[in-house]
Amino acid sequence: MQIGVIGLGRMGGNIVRRLERAGHSCVVFDQNPDAVSGLAKDGAKGAGDLDDLIAKLTPPRAVWVMLPAGKITEQTVEHLAEHMEKGDIVIDGGNTFYKDDIRRAKELQGKGIHYVDVGTSGGVWGLERGYCLMIGGEKAIVDHLDPIFKTLAPGRGDIPRTPGREKFDARAEDGYIHAGPVGAGHFVKMVHNGIEYGLMQAYAEGFDILRNKSSDALPADERYTLNMADIAEVWRRGSVISSWLLDLTSDALAKDESLDHFSGSVQDSGEGRWTIEAAIEEAVPADVLSAALYVRFRSRLDHTFAEKLLSAMRFGFGGHVEPK
Amino acid sequence: MQIGVIGLGRMGGNIVRRLERAGHSCVVFDQNPDAVSGLAKDGAKGAGDLDDLIAKLTPPRAVWVMLPAGKITEQTVEHLAEHMEKGDIVIDGGNTFYKDDIRRAKELQGKGIHYVDVGTSGGVWGLERGYCLMIGGEKAIVDHLDPIFKTLAPGRGDIPRTPGREKFDARAEDGYIHAGPVGAGHFVKMVHNGIEYGLMQAYAEGFDILRNKSSDALPADERYTLNMADIAEVWRRGSVISSWLLDLTSDALAKDESLDHFSGSVQDSGEGRWTIEAAIEEAVPADVLSAALYVRFRSRLDHTFAEKLLSAMRFGFGGHVEPK
Amino acid sequence: MQIGVIGLGRMGGNIVRRLERAGHSCVVFDQNPDAVSGLAKDGAKGAGDLDDLIAKLTPPRAVWVMLPAGKITEQTVEHLAEHMEKGDIVIDGGNTFYKDDIRRAKELQGKGIHYVDVGTSGGVWGLERGYCLMIGGEKAIVDHLDPIFKTLAPGRGDIPRTPGREKFDARAEDGYIHAGPVGAGHFVKMVHNGIEYGLMQAYAEGFDILRNKSSDALPADERYTLNMADIAEVWRRGSVISSWLLDLTSDALAKDESLDHFSGSVQDSGEGRWTIEAAIEEAVPADVLSAALYVRFRSRLDHTFAEKLLSAMRFGFGGHVEPK
Amino acid sequence: MQIGVIGLGRMGGNIVRRLERAGHSCVVFDQNPDAVSGLAKDGAKGAGDLDDLIAKLTPPRAVWVMLPAGKITEQTVEHLAEHMEKGDIVIDGGNTFYKDDIRRAKELQGKGIHYVDVGTSGGVWGLERGYCLMIGGEKAIVDHLDPIFKTLAPGRGDIPRTPGREKFDARAEDGYIHAGPVGAGHFVKMVHNGIEYGLMQAYAEGFDILRNKSSDALPADERYTLNMADIAEVWRRGSVISSWLLDLTSDALAKDESLDHFSGSVQDSGEGRWTIEAAIEEAVPADVLSAALYVRFRSRLDHTFAEKLLSAMRFGFGGHVEPK
């Protein structure tokens, strides 16, 4: 089917490619004209601006917005809302906060424009592996867009089937779900990323403990110099903790066991933060997911004010002077 | 090759089966005679007691002890040490604390008996999938036992190879590693389990946030009733957080989305605790792994004394009376 | 000076008493007529409803709202805003979220009504000890209300002076500060409560570790049966961790060392939650304050869904069945 | 009474002074002869070495060892044990691990020498305020030493009495307790320090959130530039979170609100670590105390290996390159 795609970065570009390969017809736009022309080679039809993109689509239109969450997405959706027509569909495939989805959908509803939110996981690997899609919106609209979702999703592949799945929605096994009303898709994706932070931090702490087992501070007969790369690799095979993140870890450690060229100043996106806020709203204890987020905050700082205050108190009661 | 196996529980029994199927010759013993006779059908030679087992093995003997960590393993190793001979090998395949390995190896060294520690991951699935093995001990001894390890490990299977692994020890790709001197195998396995706790808790918190999104305490237009089983399934496919633990989660949720027949009083083994102690010894911050352990402690209690003290303080400064 | 006070619960009633004792003139209202008549004995002038209260005050009026944060406070402020006049002042002395203060102040500004937020700490002890006040609002208005604040605050008493305070605002030593523009008072009070959670939890965990030192699970020669009440008392005297919360702890433990009549189902107010949200907005790692909040969430539940999922995974990979 | 004191650092020196002022008679030794001669002015009798100190004491001797926990204390106690006589008493007033106390007491018991462990809190302020003492040992011996403990402890002073304390051991109100058998004193002191870490971190995080409220990353109308010194001061007066640590905080912030001359590389002693190990042994969840310890570990590092691994994974799945 025909679809407009706005935002042709790493994710958006590959989404277009995957759709074109499957015979869908994409009209595409990006602030960067090179991105537009680059995709023309893959069969996509380029647009010069948002209005041109709208004009090149046949009603009822469907436009997939694949931009960084925040102001740029907000402005783009607002512009589309103004210039699209009753029955058209705006799809936000980025990492938007689900409460913004709920608000926007209400705004667009007044004009008869439908809003669908799609949480999209898969990173740079999506073109090859397919994207895991978590979708929120009205049932009829989500069903209408099914050909798009089915193409983008990974499909069953050779992943072993979960016993007893026969009685459930088959789409989950194809790699996409209709999670619920508007916002539900991004909500599920948000929690997905919260979990991702926690998983990553669990591996990270474990490897940190392994690596520091060679520390001089330990008794000599309790020190080991362990091979990080071999350990990551062996855990991929038959262990309880095998995962795709471990595959990536093994990959990185095989390239450079010391990881010295990585800064360790770890960014966080909104989704990790919103996950904790959701936990707090629901009164769900989220110790691990919070701790994982805080490690990232801390990783970007030289010292916190908190730490200086600890030093100050220690000086106050014990005369302790911390080494620089 | 010939090997003695002591302890024929879930893990030990399957280890014998996997070895026998590959043509190795096992002499087996367990406190429970039925376990011994059961394995006779798989080709193993039963022994009536430890001494009988030793007698039925040809020197240099290798005996794999597969018992619960602690007193019973300790006593068994002591008995073997007394009755085995110079050049024989004791293998501890259980979940022994690595500092106990170091101590024992020193004790056995005096008699010329070799000690090998093997951390074994794979649970009830090992017979089919193979066991991920982390081995500590002297190089010559570990090499001598290679046929055993190679058989127990999963082998390469169809897991995609990690690029650049060619320059590393090939055994890791077959699912076993010689991690280092005595104790190193159990140390790596210990950290594996520590990570396991963290990963499990990350998923658990995420699904808790998903499930409580239907809570009455939330504004009506921000509530979703999400399908836990579908979400677990879809994340198996193309998402960043796919893993074997997620496969198991999807399996469990497909059977019963409410998980009501699980108690939630979660046990912990020594390994999760020792991982934190190792982190503290090394001064490695292990926020996530600790939090995961503490959730298990808390899960087994009705209320902590700490919580009662919080109630008492709140009454003290604010006159607050907590509901029962 | 004259002031209206709305909400005559534990805090509001004592505030009126403290003001009346110092010669201020209070016009008071509460939904509960008994509360109104009760304070008449202390010299306050009762009002029959909000409008009556407004009518009984001489412009420019000052009305202190001391109600539970949320809907009831919101409605009261709205009603006041409608019926009060240019130059009047609304003071919110409750535990309102500071972003609500900012929003309300903007709304009231249109009518020329001033808004002041006062974070009030002191609990049931405030009548006797005085209230620690953290104030947000316009300088001129806060200065105008100074007689009220000075009366409510504890004053210098016999607390030793902090060296070097001479160059700072003297009001802090009297127990009240003008923290900044509207919202700043409640923001500082919010963080105060966040810290309170952390402090309480630190003591609570410590006493839990002391109490469980008699556990049968420990080696016999490493068990102690410690006297909780004596320990709390001795720490009040010369130790680094002496505090008012410890005084209350000692008090509670002297009454009942087992604390058995406390439920341990610990409530949390909005302020503990908002503190974490503020930390996340600022990207400040707040591990301790978050953990303290989560303990309260957990304390009110039998089992979390998360814990059931842990049980389910353990069954999945290891066949483990958790005890009930 | 007469007592020997070994180790005349900040703590030991002041202990001697406080004892001499009260009329006790101290024989003192330190590796540093200046420390010895310095105390001679306060009335103490200097000793040239350990044996000289023993010789100058009248049996049954009591020797207070006030040295850094670890090797030096161990060696000193061993030397004393060899050269002292039946009926003599060794007091370890340092920060020794309580399991070492238990072991040592058993060793000394063979020679008829008594062992007493004293956890001593009070830091550099002890000379003036007195020391909070937590004592472990045999009842008869602890009673024999009572004059020493009573002198060192703060006494009742003007701290308000806890209601209902009449039925408890009066010594707690004088600032010292006999906590239990050998090791119990250091165990209680250990937990005291664990709590101290938690309290400090709670304040530290709170002030960090206050300080970062001026961050450019926040919406302009939600930023406040708060006065750290005034806030600390006002909280000392009538608030729920007043404490001695807060007094010290106010002191430090009055001197330098930015705390820029403090490094923030925060040291930890053994006691914070052992507290967590005790919690784990007892299966007590200690989220706050652990988090407080980990902040200190992290504060001394540039980046952890864990953080680099997070960067590596993020590059692996998303192509993200972290800024330096």
Side-chain angles (χ1 to χ4, degrees):
Chain A
M1 64 186 284
Q2 192 196 43
I3 189 163
V5 179
I6 298 166
L8 306 172
R10 218 150 24 193
M11 296 279 286
N14 282 342
I15 280 175
V16 171
R17 278 179 203 101
R18 196 165 166 99
L19 289 172
E20 286 287 341
R21 285 182 195 175
H24 297 289
S25 163
C26 300
V27 182
V28 302
F29 171 69
D30 193 281
Q31 299 277 23
N32 173 7
D34 292 348
V36 176
S37 55
L39 282 168
K41 293 171 209 150
D42 293 282
K45 186 186 293 185
D49 57 23
L50 292 185
D51 294 335
D52 186 32
L53 179 134
I54 294 170
K56 282 178 171 149
L57 291 167
T58 312
R61 300 170 188 89
V63 177
W64 184 297
V65 182
M66 200 70 204
L67 294 166
K71 204 174 169 188
I72 175 72
T73 293
E74 189 72 25
Q75 289 171 337
T76 303
V77 171
E78 275 170 22
H79 188 100
L80 291 174
E82 272 173 53
H83 297 81
M84 286 170 76
E85 294 169 310
K86 184 173 172 165
D88 286 352
I89 306 165
V90 174
I91 305 157
D92 182 349
N95 281 331
T96 292
F97 186 40
Y98 76 99
K99 294 188 185 180
D100 289 329
D101 292 320
I102 294 172
R103 174 181 49 76
R104 282 185 202 156
K106 281 182 192 158
E107 288 163 9
L108 270 63
Q109 202 173 19
K111 286 200 56 180
I113 298 176
H114 305 284
Y115 184 92
V116 171
D117 55 287
V118 182
T120 312
S121 181
V124 294
W125 297 77
L127 175 59
E128 176 192 325
R129 301 205 318 169
Y131 297 93
C132 177
L133 303 177
M134 295 142 266
I135 306 159
E138 301 154 72
K139 181 177 184 316
I141 304 305
V142 173
D143 286 349
H144 170 71
L145 295 168
D146 192 72
I148 296 296
F149 298 139
K150 198 175 182 67
T151 294
L152 290 176
R156 304 206 171 181
D158 53 2
I159 295 174
R161 292 194 68 178
T162 298
R165 280 291 316 169
E166 299 73 19
K167 62 181 184 287
F168 289 94
D169 190 334
R171 289 175 291 184
E173 292 186 84
D174 284 327
Y176 65 111
I177 55 168
H178 180 199
V182 166
H186 278 145
F187 185 82
V188 173
K189 173 55 163 50
M190 177 194 85
V191 175
H192 167 281
N193 283 31
I195 293 173
E196 178 188 302
Y197 283 31
L199 300 179
M200 288 170 71
Q201 183 63 20
Y203 286 116
E205 291 180 7
F207 278 97
D208 209 349
I209 296 169
L210 292 172
R211 185 165 173 92
N212 280 284
K213 190 59 181 166
S214 64
S215 161
D216 287 351
L218 301 175
D221 64 346
E222 294 182 5
R223 278 178 225 156
Y224 302 119
T225 302
L226 300 164
N227 186 306
M228 300 291 107
D230 283 353
I231 292 171
E233 181 64 25
V234 82
W235 285 347
R236 296 180 65 220
R237 302 172 175 278
S239 98
V240 170
I241 64 172
S242 61
S243 72
W244 191 54
L245 284 166
L246 183 63
D247 295 348
L248 298 175
T249 299
S250 182
D251 200 18
L253 290 167
K255 286 200 183 72
D256 170 14
E257 210 198 350
S258 70
L259 302 177
D260 273 345
H261 62 294
F262 290 103
S263 78
S265 295
V266 191
Q267 303 304 300
D268 72 284
S269 66
E271 297 184 305
R273 301 184 182 200
W274 302 327
T275 299
I276 306 308
E277 289 173 3
I280 291 174
E281 282 179 359
E282 301 174 11
V284 167
D287 288 279
V288 156
L289 304 192
S290 300
L293 179 64
Y294 294 151
V295 166
R296 296 190 176 196
F297 290 169
R298 177 62 186 83
S299 79
R300 303 193 300 256
L301 301 167
D302 182 23
H303 271 294
T304 62
F305 187 69
E307 289 161 7
K308 288 174 182 287
L309 187 54
L310 297 179
S311 290
M313 285 190 240
R314 296 188 79 237
F315 180 76
F317 65 71
H320 304 291
V321 178
E322 312 284 10
K324 287 285 168 185
Chain B
M1 64 186 284
Q2 192 196 42
I3 189 164
V5 179
I6 297 167
L8 305 172
R10 220 153 19 195
M11 296 281 284
N14 283 342
I15 281 175
V16 170
R17 281 182 202 97
R18 197 166 165 97
L19 289 172
E20 286 286 340
R21 286 182 194 175
H24 296 289
S25 162
C26 300
V27 181
V28 302
F29 172 69
D30 192 280
Q31 299 276 24
N32 173 5
D34 292 347
V36 176
S37 55
L39 282 167
K41 294 172 208 151
D42 293 280
K45 186 186 291 186
D49 57 22
L50 292 184
D51 294 335
D52 186 31
L53 179 134
I54 293 170
K56 283 176 169 152
L57 290 166
T58 313
R61 303 169 186 88
V63 177
W64 184 295
V65 181
M66 199 70 203
L67 295 165
K71 203 173 169 188
I72 175 73
T73 293
E74 190 72 25
Q75 288 171 338
T76 303
V77 171
E78 276 170 20
H79 188 100
L80 292 174
E82 272 174 53
H83 297 81
M84 286 170 76
E85 295 169 308
K86 185 173 172 166
D88 286 351
I89 306 166
V90 174
I91 305 157
D92 183 349
N95 282 329
T96 292
F97 185 41
Y98 77 99
K99 293 188 186 180
D100 289 327
D101 292 321
I102 295 171
R103 173 181 49 76
R104 282 184 202 156
K106 281 182 192 158
E107 288 163 10
L108 271 63
Q109 201 172 20
K111 287 199 55 179
I113 299 175
H114 305 283
Y115 184 92
V116 171
D117 56 288
V118 182
T120 312
S121 181
V124 293
W125 298 76
L127 176 58
E128 177 191 324
R129 302 205 317 169
Y131 298 91
C132 176
L133 304 177
M134 295 141 266
I135 306 159
E138 301 155 71
K139 182 177 184 315
I141 304 304
V142 173
D143 287 349
H144 169 72
L145 295 168
D146 192 72
I148 298 295
F149 298 139
K150 196 174 183 70
T151 294
L152 290 177
R156 303 205 173 181
D158 52 3
I159 295 174
R161 292 193 69 179
T162 298
R165 280 292 316 171
E166 300 72 20
K167 62 182 185 286
F168 288 95
D169 189 333
R171 289 175 292 184
E173 292 187 84
D174 284 328
Y176 65 111
I177 55 168
H178 180 199
V182 165
H186 277 145
F187 185 81
V188 173
K189 173 57 163 48
M190 177 194 84
V191 175
H192 167 280
N193 283 30
I195 293 173
E196 178 188 301
Y197 283 31
L199 299 179
M200 289 171 71
Q201 183 62 21
Y203 286 118
E205 291 180 8
F207 278 97
D208 210 348
I209 295 169
L210 291 173
R211 185 167 174 89
N212 281 285
K213 189 59 182 164
S214 64
S215 162
D216 287 350
L218 301 175
D221 64 346
E222 293 182 5
R223 278 178 223 154
Y224 303 119
T225 302
L226 301 165
N227 186 307
M228 300 291 107
D230 283 353
I231 293 171
E233 182 63 27
V234 81
W235 285 347
R236 296 179 65 218
R237 299 171 177 281
S239 99
V240 170
I241 64 173
S242 61
S243 71
W244 191 54
L245 284 166
L246 183 64
D247 294 347
L248 299 174
T249 298
S250 181
D251 200 17
L253 290 167
K255 286 199 183 73
D256 170 14
E257 211 198 349
S258 70
L259 303 177
D260 273 346
H261 62 292
F262 289 103
S263 78
S265 294
V266 191
Q267 302 304 300
D268 74 282
S269 65
E271 297 183 306
R273 302 183 181 201
W274 302 328
T275 299
I276 307 308
E277 290 173 3
I280 291 174
E281 283 179 359
E282 299 174 13
V284 166
D287 288 278
V288 156
L289 304 191
S290 300
L293 178 64
Y294 294 150
V295 166
R296 297 191 175 197
F297 290 169
R298 177 61 186 84
S299 78
R300 303 193 301 255
L301 300 167
D302 183 24
H303 272 294
T304 61
F305 187 69
E307 290 161 6
K308 288 173 182 289
L309 187 55
L310 296 180
S311 290
M313 284 190 240
R314 294 189 80 237
F315 179 76
F317 64 72
H320 305 290
V321 177
E322 313 282 10
K324 285 285 169 185
Chain C
M1 63 186 284
Q2 192 195 42
I3 188 163
V5 179
I6 298 167
L8 306 173
R10 220 153 19 196
M11 296 280 286
N14 283 341
I15 281 175
V16 170
R17 280 180 202 99
R18 197 166 166 97
L19 289 172
E20 286 287 341
R21 286 183 195 174
H24 296 289
S25 163
C26 300
V27 182
V28 302
F29 171 70
D30 193 281
Q31 298 276 22
N32 173 6
D34 292 349
V36 176
S37 55
L39 282 168
K41 295 171 207 149
D42 293 281
K45 185 185 295 186
D49 58 22
L50 291 185
D51 294 335
D52 185 33
L53 179 134
I54 293 170
K56 283 176 170 151
L57 290 167
T58 312
R61 302 171 186 88
V63 178
W64 183 295
V65 182
M66 200 69 203
L67 294 166
K71 205 173 166 187
I72 176 73
T73 293
E74 189 72 26
Q75 289 171 339
T76 303
V77 171
E78 275 170 22
H79 188 98
L80 292 173
E82 272 173 54
H83 296 81
M84 286 170 75
E85 295 170 309
K86 186 172 170 164
D88 286 352
I89 306 166
V90 175
I91 305 157
D92 183 348
N95 281 330
T96 293
F97 186 40
Y98 77 99
K99 293 189 186 180
D100 289 328
D101 292 320
I102 295 172
R103 174 182 48 76
R104 283 185 200 154
K106 280 182 193 160
E107 288 163 11
L108 270 64
Q109 201 173 19
K111 286 199 58 180
I113 300 176
H114 305 284
Y115 184 92
V116 171
D117 55 287
V118 182
T120 312
S121 181
V124 294
W125 297 76
L127 176 58
E128 177 191 325
R129 303 204 316 168
Y131 297 92
C132 176
L133 303 178
M134 296 142 265
I135 305 159
E138 301 154 74
K139 182 178 184 316
I141 305 303
V142 173
D143 286 350
H144 169 72
L145 296 168
D146 192 72
I148 297 296
F149 298 140
K150 198 174 181 67
T151 295
L152 289 177
R156 303 207 173 181
D158 53 1
I159 296 174
R161 292 193 69 178
T162 298
R165 280 292 316 170
E166 299 73 19
K167 63 180 184 288
F168 289 94
D169 190 335
R171 290 175 292 184
E173 292 186 86
D174 284 328
Y176 65 112
I177 55 168
H178 180 199
V182 166
H186 277 145
F187 185 82
V188 173
K189 173 57 163 48
M190 177 193 85
V191 175
H192 167 280
N193 283 30
I195 293 173
E196 177 188 303
Y197 283 32
L199 300 179
M200 288 171 71
Q201 184 61 22
Y203 286 117
E205 292 180 7
F207 279 97
D208 210 347
I209 296 169
L210 292 172
R211 185 165 174 91
N212 280 284
K213 190 58 181 167
S214 64
S215 161
D216 287 351
L218 301 175
D221 64 347
E222 294 182 6
R223 280 179 225 154
Y224 303 118
T225 302
L226 301 165
N227 186 306
M228 299 291 105
D230 283 354
I231 292 171
E233 182 63 26
V234 81
W235 285 347
R236 295 179 64 220
R237 301 171 176 281
S239 98
V240 170
I241 64 171
S242 61
S243 72
W244 191 53
L245 285 166
L246 183 63
D247 294 348
L248 299 174
T249 298
S250 182
D251 200 18
L253 290 168
K255 287 199 182 72
D256 170 14
E257 209 197 351
S258 70
L259 302 178
D260 273 346
H261 62 293
F262 290 103
S263 77
S265 294
V266 191
Q267 302 304 301
D268 73 284
S269 66
E271 296 183 307
R273 300 183 182 201
W274 302 328
T275 300
I276 307 307
E277 289 173 3
I280 291 174
E281 282 180 359
E282 301 174 13
V284 167
D287 287 279
V288 156
L289 304 191
S290 300
L293 178 65
Y294 294 151
V295 167
R296 297 191 175 197
F297 290 169
R298 178 63 185 83
S299 78
R300 304 192 301 256
L301 301 167
D302 182 24
H303 271 295
T304 62
F305 187 69
E307 289 161 8
K308 288 174 183 287
L309 187 54
L310 296 180
S311 290
M313 284 190 242
R314 295 188 80 236
F315 180 75
F317 65 70
H320 305 291
V321 178
E322 312 282 11
K324 286 285 168 184
Chain D
M1 64 187 283
Q2 191 195 44
I3 189 164
V5 179
I6 298 167
L8 306 172
R10 218 150 24 192
M11 295 280 285
N14 283 342
I15 281 175
V16 170
R17 280 181 202 99
R18 196 167 166 97
L19 289 171
E20 286 286 341
R21 286 182 194 175
H24 297 289
S25 162
C26 299
V27 182
V28 303
F29 171 70
D30 192 281
Q31 299 276 23
N32 172 6
D34 292 348
V36 175
S37 55
L39 282 167
K41 293 170 209 152
D42 293 280
K45 184 185 295 184
D49 57 23
L50 292 184
D51 294 335
D52 185 32
L53 179 135
I54 293 170
K56 282 176 170 153
L57 290 166
T58 313
R61 301 170 187 89
V63 178
W64 184 295
V65 181
M66 200 70 202
L67 293 166
K71 205 173 168 189
I72 176 74
T73 293
E74 191 70 27
Q75 289 171 338
T76 303
V77 171
E78 275 170 22
H79 188 101
L80 292 173
E82 271 174 55
H83 297 81
M84 286 169 76
E85 294 169 309
K86 186 172 172 166
D88 286 352
I89 306 166
V90 174
I91 305 158
D92 182 348
N95 282 329
T96 291
F97 186 40
Y98 76 99
K99 294 188 186 180
D100 288 328
D101 292 321
I102 295 171
R103 174 181 48 75
R104 282 185 202 155
K106 281 183 193 159
E107 289 163 10
L108 270 64
Q109 201 172 20
K111 286 199 57 180
I113 299 175
H114 305 284
Y115 183 92
V116 172
D117 56 288
V118 182
T120 312
S121 182
V124 292
W125 298 76
L127 176 59
E128 176 192 327
R129 302 204 320 167
Y131 297 92
C132 176
L133 303 178
M134 295 142 265
I135 306 159
E138 301 154 74
K139 182 177 185 314
I141 305 304
V142 173
D143 288 349
H144 170 72
L145 295 168
D146 192 73
I148 296 296
F149 298 139
K150 198 175 183 66
T151 295
L152 289 177
R156 303 205 173 181
D158 53 4
I159 294 174
R161 292 193 69 178
T162 298
R165 280 292 315 171
E166 300 73 19
K167 63 182 184 285
F168 289 94
D169 190 334
R171 289 175 292 184
E173 293 186 84
D174 284 328
Y176 65 110
I177 56 168
H178 180 199
V182 166
H186 278 144
F187 185 81
V188 173
K189 173 56 162 50
M190 176 194 85
V191 175
H192 167 281
N193 283 30
I195 293 173
E196 177 189 302
Y197 283 31
L199 300 178
M200 289 171 71
Q201 183 61 21
Y203 286 117
E205 291 180 8
F207 279 96
D208 209 348
I209 295 169
L210 292 172
R211 185 166 174 89
N212 280 284
K213 189 60 181 165
S214 64
S215 161
D216 287 349
L218 301 175
D221 64 347
E222 295 181 3
R223 277 178 225 155
Y224 302 119
T225 302
L226 301 164
N227 186 306
M228 300 292 106
D230 283 354
I231 292 172
E233 182 62 27
V234 82
W235 285 347
R236 296 179 65 218
R237 299 171 178 280
S239 99
V240 169
I241 63 172
S242 60
S243 72
W244 191 54
L245 284 166
L246 183 63
D247 294 347
L248 298 175
T249 299
S250 182
D251 200 18
L253 290 168
K255 286 200 183 72
D256 169 15
E257 210 198 349
S258 70
L259 303 177
D260 273 345
H261 62 293
F262 289 104
S263 78
S265 294
V266 191
Q267 302 305 300
D268 73 283
S269 66
E271 296 184 307
R273 302 184 182 200
W274 302 328
T275 299
I276 306 308
E277 289 174 2
I280 291 174
E281 281 179 359
E282 299 174 13
V284 167
D287 288 279
V288 156
L289 304 192
S290 300
L293 178 64
Y294 294 151
V295 166
R296 297 191 174 195
F297 290 170
R298 178 61 185 83
S299 78
R300 304 193 300 256
L301 300 167
D302 182 23
H303 272 295
T304 62
F305 187 68
E307 290 162 6
K308 288 173 182 286
L309 187 54
L310 296 180
S311 290
M313 284 190 241
R314 294 188 80 238
F315 180 76
F317 65 71
H320 305 290
V321 177
E322 314 282 10
K324 285 287 168 183

